[in-house]
Amino acid sequence: MPESLSFALLALSAVFVIVDPLGVVPMFLALTPSDSPERRYAMARRACLVAWGVLVTFSVAGTLLLTVFGISLAAFKVAGGLLMLLTAIDQLRAQPSATRSTTEEQSEGLAKDDVSIVPLAMPLLAG
């Protein structure tokens, strides 16, 4: 029993760090300032269910997906590290991202009715 309890605590702490619910709360409140509490609850519940589904799917089938595309785990780690390095360098140099958005895209984002799946569930909770 103590081994399974220690594994459960280790797994729970790892998932808590990955999901970072405390870091998502301010963004959720900023994205839903004019929504009713019932609507906020429904969006938060939907976001949690979608994030859970994404995490479970990739934890079960992630290795298979990498194998299908012929990507080794080491190559995936190197690619992720390079992306993080490039992002960090851009942040240190205070340069805007090379990805641009149009004014139509920005106005559409402001008028978005439901934020539970994008951006809340993915990429914020299950990124």
Side-chain angles (χ1 to χ4, degrees):
M1 181 70 171
E3 290 178 23
S4 61
L5 181 63
S6 66
F7 176 74
L9 287 174
L10 179 67
L12 181 65
S13 64
V15 169
F16 189 79
V17 169
I18 290 170
V19 173
D20 189 23
L22 299 177
V24 174
V25 169
M27 288 181 257
F28 175 69
L29 293 175
L31 289 169
T32 60
S34 61
D35 292 325
S36 67
E38 295 83 19
R39 181 148 170 79
R40 281 184 177 179
Y41 177 78
M43 282 192 284
R45 181 178 168 90
R46 188 177 311 116
C48 290
L49 289 173
V50 169
W52 177 83
V54 168
L55 290 173
V56 167
T57 300
F58 280 99
S59 68
V60 171
T63 306
L64 177 66
L65 186 65
L66 290 176
T67 304
V68 166
F69 287 118
I71 302 170
S72 69
L73 188 58
F76 190 73
K77 288 179 181 180
V78 168
L82 287 174
L83 286 174
M84 290 183 71
L85 174 69
L86 292 174
T87 303
I89 289 172
D90 282 346
Q91 288 178 351
L92 284 173
R93 295 172 66 199
Q95 291 182 342
S97 174
T99 306
R100 303 279 186 237
S101 62
T102 64
T103 55
E104 293 97 13
E105 291 172 335
Q106 291 175 356
S107 63
E108 185 178 319
L110 291 173
K112 191 169 182 82
D113 190 34
D114 189 1
V115 296
S116 61
I117 296 176
V118 175
L120 197 55
M122 296 180 329
L124 292 178
L125 289 175

